[in-house]
Amino acid sequence: MKIFVVTAFPGLLSGPLAESIIRLAQESGIVQIELVDLRDFTTDKHRQVDDYPYGGGPGMILKPEPFFRAVEAIEKKGKLVNPRVLQMTPQGKRFNQGLAKEFSRLDNLIFLCGHYKGVDERVLEHLVTDELSIGDYVLTGGELAAAVIIDAVVRLLPGAIGDVDSALSDSFENNRLDCPHYTRPEEYRGMKVPEVLLSGHHARIEEWRLNKALEKTKAVRADLLNNE
Ligand code: SAM
């Protein structure tokens, strides 16, 4: 998979993408992630990416031209035909595990990050295929939202996580949350690991895990159980 992120603030993304599983996925060639600096697609000497809103009012708007030029350059360089162009916006469809799976099956993704008051609406109308939100709150920019989505997608790529069963038993798989987990020590400050997990009895352990997962899901996310 090849991922491009168009942003006026690449530094906001370089840290999160350079650690742990996402770093290893890049190093082993499972994914290539390219940060594309929006300012490289300006034509003025100040490399200005924003401007005042027509009609007045507070906040600056990211200009349309650098976004169109950046996406056209990416399409040309990567020989991409009709790639998915994902606009990060609080007004978008709420990102979830189902979308993470859908995106993980694609060869290319282009992320567009807004900033300030937002992005010129013509970008959304004519360039973007999907408007995505990571939740009902407002961030200063789309960079952290893009990092969240990239993380959720890349960990699903074959080979990204050593133990694929681990991802398949995580929350939101099978319409429920994950079960509780414990590791050594067996007892810590009087708090003991549940007996059944030490029993070595696989069927009983599986049954306990399923019951605990269902218990937690019923208590905090009962809506998931009806998502058959
Ligand atoms: N004026 C916009 C609105 O009220 O819908 C908010 C703009 S926000 C301050 C600046 C940028 O941050 C947005 O263009 C978007 O790229 C990003 N952003 C903010 N909240 C987000 C969220 N919940 N999900 C995804 N992107 C978000």
Side-chain angles (χ1 to χ4, degrees), residues 87-212:
Q87 172 70 43
M88 303 299 100
T89 162
Q91 301 180 18
K93 182 173 178 180
R94 188 93 54 87
F95 180 69
N96 60 20
Q97 191 66 14
L99 285 169
K101 278 190 192 159
E102 180 186 332
F103 295 152
S104 73
R105 292 191 277 267
L106 301 175
D107 291 333
N108 303 284
L109 287 172
I110 301 176
F111 287 80
L112 304 186
C113 302
H115 226 88
Y116 310 125
K117 190 71 181 157
V119 178
D120 187 289
E121 191 68 14
R122 288 165 287 191
V123 172
L124 284 98
E125 284 171 358
H126 300 286
L127 201 54
V128 165
T129 59
D130 304 73
E131 293 183 36
L132 292 173
S133 164
I134 61 161
D136 288 350
Y137 40 80
V138 178
L139 304 164
T140 55
E143 288 76 11
L144 298 181
V148 164
I149 296 177
I150 290 168
D151 189 286
V153 170
V154 169
R155 69 186 285 284
L156 295 178
L157 298 178
I161 294 182
D163 184 353
V164 105
D165 287 343
S166 168
L168 293 178
S169 61
D170 279 330
S171 294
F172 311 113
E173 297 292 336
N174 309 310
N175 298 327
R176 57 176 181 257
L177 302 176
D178 195 4
C179 62
H181 299 284
Y182 298 85
T183 185
R184 284 186 288 187
E186 208 174 300
E187 182 172 345
Y188 177 64
R189 294 188 176 180
M191 298 175 279
K192 291 185 180 155
V193 171
E195 283 278 338
V196 61
L197 298 178
L198 311 172
S199 69
H201 194 299
H202 292 299
R204 274 183 54 215
I205 292 172
E206 279 320 300
E207 189 189 353
W208 180 88
R209 285 181 167 157
L210 176 62
N211 286 336
K212 283 288 177 188

